[in-house]
Amino acid sequence: MTVTRFILERYADALPVTAETPLRTLGEGGTPLVRSRVLEGALGLEALYFKLESTNPTGSFKDRGMVMAVAKAVEEGATAVLCASTGNTSASAAAYAALYGLRAYVIVPAGNIALGKLAQATAHGAEIVQIDGSFDDALDLARELSERHDLALVNSVNPHRIEGQKTAAFEIVDELGDAPSLLCIPVGNAGNITAYWRGFGEYYRLERAGRRPRMWGFQAAGAAPLVSGAPVAEPETIATAIRIGNPASWQGAIEARDDSDGLIAAVTDDEILDAYRRLARDEGVFCEPASAASVAGLVARSRAGVDLSGETAVCVITGTGLKDPDTAMAMAVESAVQETAADVDAIDRALGWT
Ligand code: F0G
């Protein structure tokens, strides 16, 4: 099946695309929906798929919202974009600013950004400010600065971001022929769960889907304000992408949960890393830790005794593992990389073949 990897064209009717919207693309969307080899049976699901948003141009789902937001910013006359980020938003904003010839400014929490993401923003020529504070502080500052200066704010508080991101829900329905019964998704600033719920809702109202999924959102236990019901002042988790204590789209996440008869639950860092390992080893899916939260949550529900038989679930894999090589190497067993002489006998011995 050939799909257009350009959401502004493929889904123009459902997006705020006008005759004046400039249409450039790096190839967003059209991402694979991969059937599980091992977990589906292990959890007793009828079907389990992974939506590989990690295969977007900059390696995360952010590109869907960013291509829309930056195109609209250009349409409205902007010459520069600004965002706060745990890493992926800044990588994506920097890439799309380069595509459209704008300047990009990003504010990130110092010491809590995976190396690959910082490398991307740097390579694309963004101006990066690291602050001694959390993502939530960075977002407050970015909002204030965007009022003080002539800058387009491209965080998901920008409504065009949510519009672009909802197209992932369209793609899932277009491919499966209907909505799944369950959609599992990591939740940080809560823009993405809001966007998926909107996308499923729009397709349902257009009768392109016969149902809407229950939305199961998962936060890291050290950064789970939507689970506790109160902001977390000092969020902490290995999944730095979702290390967020006061999500901007709080209300959108609660609506997605309640209107879908879904849930938002916490998963521990150990559960996240276990899912991260299983995805890589058993499914061929190398994602970043935050992305594994969707699978960790599904596994945890199963362990808690929830009957998943009859369910068709989609877990959203939000970002690629290449973003965060440090976590991958820290998880490697000691014997994974060995040094030997450049010699067949030495390699035979090292691998235990002789
Ligand atoms: N997964 C990844 C890989 C992310 O980068 C993010 C958010 C999320 C999940 C959560 O999505 O915020 O819409 O609930 N990253 C943002 C950033 C905050 O700055 O890159 P959300």
Side-chain angles (χ1 to χ4, degrees):
M1 182 177 66
T2 46
V3 292
T4 314
R5 296 209 67 174
F6 184 22
I7 56 164
L8 299 191
E9 189 177 274
R10 183 174 178 194
Y11 295 114
D13 292 352
L15 295 171
V17 173
T18 72
E20 278 70 50
T21 312
L23 296 179
R24 291 183 185 274
T25 180
L26 293 169
E28 313 75 34
T31 58
L33 194 62
V34 171
R35 186 107 184 221
S36 161
R37 181 180 72 87
V38 174
L39 266 178
E40 175 182 295
L43 301 181
L45 287 144
E46 183 161 320
L48 173 61
Y49 299 89
F50 307 112
K51 178 69 169 162
L52 299 191
E53 289 294 283
S54 45
T55 66
N56 275 297
T58 75
S60 87
F61 72 94
K62 303 287 179 179
D63 297 337
R64 291 179 187 271
M66 203 56 74
V67 69
M68 184 80 254
V70 176
K72 292 306 278 187
V74 172
E75 182 179 340
E76 287 152 20
T79 57
V81 296
L82 168 71
C83 68
S85 184
T86 57
N88 281 322
T89 298
S90 62
S92 186
Y96 286 88
L99 179 72
Y100 277 97
L102 307 183
R103 276 165 296 128
Y105 299 93
V106 308
I107 307 176
V108 298
N112 283 292
I113 304 291
L115 185 62
K117 303 174 187 179
L118 212 49
Q120 288 178 288
T122 307
H124 290 302
E127 294 242 20
I128 303 164
V129 178
Q130 303 209 36
I131 61 158
D132 178 17
S134 66
F135 166 83
D136 305 285
D137 300 327
L139 183 55
D140 286 346
L141 294 164
R143 285 192 207 238
E144 216 175 305
L145 287 161
S146 71
E147 278 163 26
R148 188 183 290 190
H149 301 283
D150 192 15
L151 293 162
L153 184 63
V154 292
N155 281 105
S156 55
V157 294
N158 177 328
H160 300 309
R161 281 276 314 277
I162 307 283
E163 285 294 295
Q165 283 172 209
K166 75 184 178 187
T167 59
F170 296 167
E171 285 180 11
I172 291 170
V173 176
D174 285 343
E175 189 158 345
L176 293 180
D178 203 344
S181 58
L182 279 180
L183 192 283
C184 300
I185 186 168
V187 178
N189 211 26
N192 213 25
I193 190 171
T194 303
Y196 271 82
W197 184 237
R198 184 182 298 173
F200 285 121
E202 289 183 9
Y203 254 32
Y204 181 69
R205 282 187 290 281
L206 290 168
E207 295 180 13
R208 292 199 187 152
R211 64 178 177 186
R212 295 182 292 176
R214 274 172 292 136
M215 302 290 283
W216 284 9
F218 298 102
Q219 298 203 286
L226 296 167
V227 180
S228 66
V232 174
E234 292 183 14
E236 204 44 79
T237 168
I238 189 163
T240 51
I242 53 172
R243 187 175 172 275
I244 293 174
N246 192 13
S249 296
W250 187 297
Q251 205 46 47
I254 297 302
E255 274 170 33
R257 180 194 69 189
D258 294 347
D259 295 353
S260 76
D261 191 26
L263 61 87
I264 298 178
V267 284
T268 65
D269 279 6
D270 283 347
E271 289 172 321
I272 288 172
L273 290 176
D274 184 53
Y276 171 86
R277 198 184 296 109
R278 289 174 80 168
L279 277 164
R281 301 259 171 126
D282 295 342
E283 307 284 359
V285 172
F286 183 34
C287 64
E288 59 173 294
S291 309
S294 61
V295 174
L298 186 62
V299 171
R301 301 312 292 169
S302 169
R303 280 209 187 115
V306 176
D307 178 12
L308 298 173
S309 62
E311 302 281 3
T312 295
V314 172
C315 290
V316 183
I317 303 298
T318 48
T320 172
L322 290 171
K323 299 266 189 183
D324 191 353
D326 294 334
T327 298
M329 293 315 287
M331 297 278 291
V333 289
E334 243 165 59
S335 61
V337 182
Q338 308 184 50
E339 286 192 22
T340 78
D343 175 285
V344 281
D345 291 330
I347 294 172
D348 262 352
R349 276 194 303 278
L351 295 177
W353 289 345
T354 52

